[in-house]
Amino acid sequence: MHSDGRTHAPLGLKIAAGAGLLFMHLPIALIFVYAFTTEDKSYQWPPPGFTIKWLAVTWNRPDVWQALVLSLKTASVSTLIAMVLGTFCAAAVSRSKFFGRETISLLVILPIALPGIITGIALRSAFSLADIPFSIWTIILGHATFCVVVVYNNAVARFRRTSGSLVEASMDLGANSFQTFRHVILPNISTALLAGGMLAFALSFDEVIVTTFTAGQQSTLPIWMLEELVRPRQRPVTNVVAMVVVLVTVFPILAAYYLTRDGDQVAGSGK
């Protein structure tokens, strides 16, 4: 035991933890390896050689750029919608008491609890019934259904850790509702909203199932990757794109973790 009270983890526990990490992350490491292989028709192990030419090939593929731009647009707009709706829902549920509040909270988080294929079928049926043609907006609406939940969960947790005395003090000093939200509430929940937005962007960027039912003939980057795996032209290009997807999604997740890891104290509790 250390002098500060901490104890060493047993060797067996360390080995088990290491095995678990390898099990989860070794396949991801293989993506990076195959992105630089000289073999372009199969996943040969060990790779016969390594090259960086696939980076240039991927850069010059217009279909990759089209899919990437569509994914970025979809994720950005979906995240923006989610941040607005998720924040308002969290404020209504956490800052006031009314009949059916818990039911509304359950309905808000339900889309992320349902299997993606159920959400996809439901959205496709709704779009067909309303005679809405498939476009980037149908993809955005589909992604926003679960992105709202991510922002809502982060925001509602932070709202509940923000002392009501701050709002009361602001009102007593003559601030109206908008001023209170802008100068008191928003600074206290901003990191939670930013974290929720980053997580929502990452989820939207690599979403497949709901996109399959709402995209029509369009291809986001994950859909493009699936199509390339079924009808491969240059297998390493798919791995280069997968490597980019990993990098694009891992940084928002890490940033969200660091933004929210110290948010367990109640703001204003000592005032």
Side-chain angles (χ1 to χ4, degrees):
M1 178 181 293
H2 292 282
S3 59
D4 58 0
R6 293 179 298 169
T7 58
H8 287 291
L11 179 60
L13 184 59
K14 292 180 179 179
I15 294 175
L21 289 173
L22 283 175
F23 176 77
M24 291 188 294
H25 298 293
L26 187 58
I28 298 176
L30 292 177
I31 289 176
F32 285 74
V33 172
Y34 284 122
F36 299 97
T37 181
T38 54
E39 165 51 42
D40 65 347
K41 298 184 182 302
S42 64
Y43 292 113
Q44 179 181 339
W45 186 263
F50 294 96
T51 178
I52 61 172
K53 76 170 186 176
W54 300 115
L55 298 177
V57 171
T58 304
W59 182 271
N60 292 314
R61 286 273 295 265
D63 53 336
V64 174
W65 283 106
Q66 291 171 2
L68 175 61
V69 169
L70 181 61
S71 287
L72 290 174
K73 287 181 178 178
T74 300
S76 299
V77 179
S78 299
T79 299
L80 182 61
I81 294 173
M83 291 185 72
V84 174
L85 296 181
T87 302
F88 286 153
C89 287
V93 169
S94 62
R95 307 307 299 184
S96 58
K97 295 182 179 180
F98 53 90
F99 177 76
R101 184 178 69 166
E102 297 304 321
T103 301
I104 291 177
S105 181
L106 176 63
L107 291 175
V108 171
I109 65 175
L110 188 60
I112 207 168
L114 290 173
I117 192 170
I118 301 299
T119 302
I121 292 174
L123 288 168
R124 190 179 184 92
S125 300
F127 294 149
S128 298
L129 187 63
D131 198 24
I132 299 175
F134 293 114
S135 67
I136 184 175
W137 291 106
T138 55
I139 306 176
I140 289 171
L141 290 175
H143 287 198
T145 57
F146 56 83
C147 288
V148 167
V149 183
V150 177
V151 176
Y152 169 83
N153 284 336
N154 278 271
V156 78
R158 186 59 60 87
F159 269 121
R160 288 171 177 168
R161 289 197 295 266
T162 302
S163 175
S165 62
L166 293 176
V167 177
E168 295 172 1
S170 177
M171 294 295 189
D172 289 341
L173 292 172
N176 57 35
S177 298
F178 176 76
Q179 290 172 326
T180 300
F181 178 79
R182 178 183 176 186
H183 297 292
V184 178
I185 297 177
L186 191 58
N188 280 290
I189 67 170
S190 58
T191 54
L193 291 183
L194 186 58
M198 289 178 174
L199 289 174
F201 182 90
L203 286 176
S204 175
F205 188 82
D206 63 5
E207 209 288 324
V208 174
I209 300 176
V210 173
T211 309
T212 302
F213 288 91
T214 58
Q217 299 301 314
Q218 304 170 100
S219 292
T220 59
L221 206 57
I223 299 298
W224 177 90
M225 291 167 62
L226 284 177
E227 293 173 349
E228 283 293 306
L229 289 173
V230 174
R231 298 184 299 274
R233 291 165 55 186
Q234 297 167 316
R235 287 189 184 275
V237 170
T238 307
N239 285 276
V240 171
V241 174
M243 181 175 64
V244 171
V245 171
V246 170
L247 295 175
V248 168
T249 54
V250 73
F251 287 116
I253 292 173
L254 288 175
Y257 167 75
Y258 281 106
L259 284 171
T260 57
R261 62 176 180 171
D262 295 326
D264 56 346
Q265 296 182 353
V266 177
S269 58
K271 297 182 180 179

